[in-house]
Amino acid sequence: MNHIMDLSRESWKRYFESINEKTFKATQIIEWLYSKKEYNPNNWTNFKNETREIISSSFKHNFIKIVKKEEDNLTKKYLFELEDNNHIEAVLMSHDYGLSICVSSQVGCNMGCTFCESGRLKKVRNLETYEMVEQILLIEEDIKKRISSVVIMGIGEPLDNYDNVIEFIKIINDDKGIAIGARHITLSTCGLIPKIKELQELPLQINLAISLHASNNELRSKIMPINKVYKLDDILLTVDEYIKHTNRRVTIEYVMLNNVNDNEENAKELINLLKGKNVYVNLIPYNETSHIIYKKSPKDKILKFYDILKKGGINVTIRKEFGSKISAACGQLRSKEVK
Ligand code: SAH
């Protein structure tokens, strides 16, 4: 059974057509749910009794539950329990430009990146759209503030749950509802090429981030098994095509793993790969986790890597470190829960 928060305005329109109801009801439903925050269909006063009853009986309207919070000065991490007792997490971060939330898209992940805590625990299932929407609603309710941006960088590979993630993006982007601008929504992927090609056809001006993390094929295959299917060179060709198609700059994520991918040679290779492309590189200080042997690159090495890229003409930033004291690395809070 669908949940009332599984449907974007477009999908509601199709639904209302199918029950011979006026399609403008779709806008009203988005307003009830996401502007007025009235989640009980029985209270939707501009709906006929009959329509309320149909919606009440054909859709679920349960909430996922916050079961744990961990906090430090700039970060608050939430552990959620789903209806089937699975756990996922989301992180709230404060920046000088506002608040952002990092949401999960799956329970576990099958991509198997060797440095990532989420992948250590295999995928159990995809998240339903409402389970992503509710991460945002519950955090906003908890902090009594509006958030300004969303990154889909929590547990899971969003393009491996494409339909539900796209519907989620449409819902949070809807100007009658949560109204987060597309330019404030970032989807991060390890590079599922066919889905990137699908994404570029959508009229959504969201940001795309690619988890590259390596400067050559051999290294990437070692740390990211998905590279055996979608190779680094092919991903970069797909990125070129995506940029041409959408006219949007793409973010290249590069997690800095000590003595794995962080030497001068890697920086030079990266310059050769990215020179002249409309991309910017985000160097990510690695969040160490107790189960995984990788160590974070020391600060001076990150700065040196940064300098080489910069001198090589690449746009580059170093990601601010968030919440390393509160198990903020993807999947850490959940993995404490799942033994
Ligand atoms: N599956 C998607 C999105 C989730 S991971 C992807 O691969 O992009 C979000 C980002 O965090 C990815 O770039 C991922 O490689 C990175 N990441 C995973 N574990 C990390 C850790 N312990 N420290 C820092 N970044 C990490």
Side-chain angles (χ1 to χ4, degrees):
M1 192 190 254
N2 266 324
H3 187 282
I4 49 172
M5 293 181 201
D6 280 338
L7 276 67
S8 64
R9 205 188 322 179
E10 269 167 67
S11 304
W12 277 118
K13 278 188 184 159
R14 279 195 294 276
Y15 172 75
F16 284 122
E17 255 162 23
S18 76
I19 59 162
N20 289 319
E21 177 54 282
K22 304 263 186 326
T23 54
F24 68 79
K25 290 281 154 202
T27 309
Q28 293 177 344
I29 221 170
I30 296 289
E31 286 168 344
W32 279 118
L33 292 174
Y34 307 114
S35 265
K36 298 177 197 153
K37 318 268 186 212
E38 178 52 70
Y39 307 123
N40 186 346
N42 295 326
N43 298 333
W44 299 347
T45 46
N46 52 4
F47 280 65
K48 305 195 280 270
N49 271 342
E50 187 198 337
T51 316
R52 282 185 225 163
E53 274 160 29
I54 299 179
I55 294 175
S56 273
S57 60
S58 337
F59 292 90
K60 303 193 293 182
H61 43 89
N62 60 302
F63 263 87
I64 63 173
K65 281 195 292 243
I66 297 176
V67 288
K68 199 187 233 174
K69 300 181 211 173
E70 282 185 11
E71 193 167 2
D72 68 14
N73 55 344
L74 290 177
T75 327
K76 194 163 177 183
K77 181 129 189 174
Y78 294 82
L79 184 73
F80 295 98
E81 191 169 280
L82 310 177
E83 207 185 357
D84 59 3
N85 297 326
N86 276 306
H87 292 93
I88 51 155
E89 52 196 72
V91 189
L92 171 76
M93 292 164 283
S94 358
H95 311 265
D96 32 14
Y97 56 82
L99 297 169
S100 74
I101 296 182
C102 174
V103 296
S104 292
S105 57
Q106 297 180 314
V107 181
C109 182
N110 273 347
M111 300 301 124
C113 300
T114 54
F115 49 83
C116 177
E117 185 76 14
S118 306
R120 217 171 49 82
L121 306 162
K122 290 280 160 266
K123 174 169 114 180
V124 178
R125 66 172 174 86
N126 284 331
L127 288 190
E128 299 298 326
T129 299
Y130 82 91
E131 293 169 321
M132 294 180 259
V133 174
E134 289 183 356
Q135 293 173 53
I136 307 222
L137 294 179
L138 287 173
I139 293 178
E140 283 196 332
E141 186 188 279
D142 180 58
I143 58 172
K144 309 275 182 284
K145 279 189 197 140
R146 300 261 345 248
I147 54 132
S148 57
S149 56
V150 170
V151 297
I152 310 171
M153 290 190 189
I155 300 170
E157 167 49 51
L159 295 186
D160 185 38
N161 182 16
Y162 186 84
D163 293 342
N164 292 347
V165 166
I166 297 301
E167 202 69 353
F168 161 68
I169 293 173
K170 287 180 182 166
I171 292 172
I172 61 173
N173 179 231
D174 194 312
D175 58 3
K176 297 287 184 199
I178 303 172
I180 295 169
R183 283 155 197 266
H184 299 273
I185 301 172
T186 302
L187 183 152
S188 175
T189 176
C190 62
L192 305 188
I193 291 177
K195 293 297 174 188
I196 298 175
K197 289 182 195 283
E198 262 184 68
L199 192 63
Q200 75 188 16
E201 301 300 333
L202 294 180
L204 280 173
Q205 299 281 301
I206 59 165
N207 304 309
L208 175 67
I210 304 281
S211 295
L212 202 68
H213 304 330
S215 57
N216 62 62
N217 247 319
E218 196 190 346
L219 175 60
R220 193 165 192 270
S221 294
K222 262 191 212 148
I223 60 176
M224 299 176 72
I226 190 68
N227 195 63
K228 291 169 194 149
V229 187
Y230 301 118
K231 300 205 166 41
L232 187 145
D233 307 338
D234 295 329
I235 293 176
L236 289 177
L237 287 174
T238 309
V239 165
D240 285 343
E241 205 189 299
Y242 181 92
I243 293 171
K244 223 162 112 188
H245 221 85
T246 60
N247 235 333
R248 307 272 302 143
R249 183 163 76 162
V250 167
T251 305
I252 301 292
E253 294 164 283
Y254 198 98
V255 67
M256 300 292 292
L257 304 168
N258 194 31
N259 297 331
V260 176
N261 64 356
D262 64 346
N263 66 29
E264 268 188 65
E265 192 52 36
N266 297 128
K268 286 178 189 152
E269 280 178 340
L270 203 54
I271 294 173
N272 282 330
L273 291 178
L274 302 179
K275 224 172 17 196
K277 294 189 197 295
N278 186 17
V279 297
Y280 94 91
V281 176
N282 198 203
L283 299 176
I284 309 177
Y286 182 57
N287 250 315
E288 291 176 11
T289 101
S290 54
H291 304 100
I292 297 175
I293 46 157
Y294 294 113
K295 295 285 166 216
K296 65 199 288 187
S297 305
K299 261 210 178 88
D300 55 324
K301 242 167 141 184
I302 300 182
L303 286 172
K304 190 165 173 198
F305 202 91
Y306 169 91
D307 275 339
I308 299 174
L309 292 187
K310 191 124 210 161
K311 287 199 183 97
I314 304 289
N315 286 314
V316 54
T317 52
I318 300 174
R319 182 178 298 169
K320 191 163 146 193
E321 276 187 271
F322 277 106
S324 50
K325 287 190 200 73
I326 57 160
S327 45
C330 316
Q332 281 183 26
L333 201 57
R334 170 170 176 261
S335 103
K336 279 190 208 159
E337 214 65 18
V338 183
K339 293 290 169 326

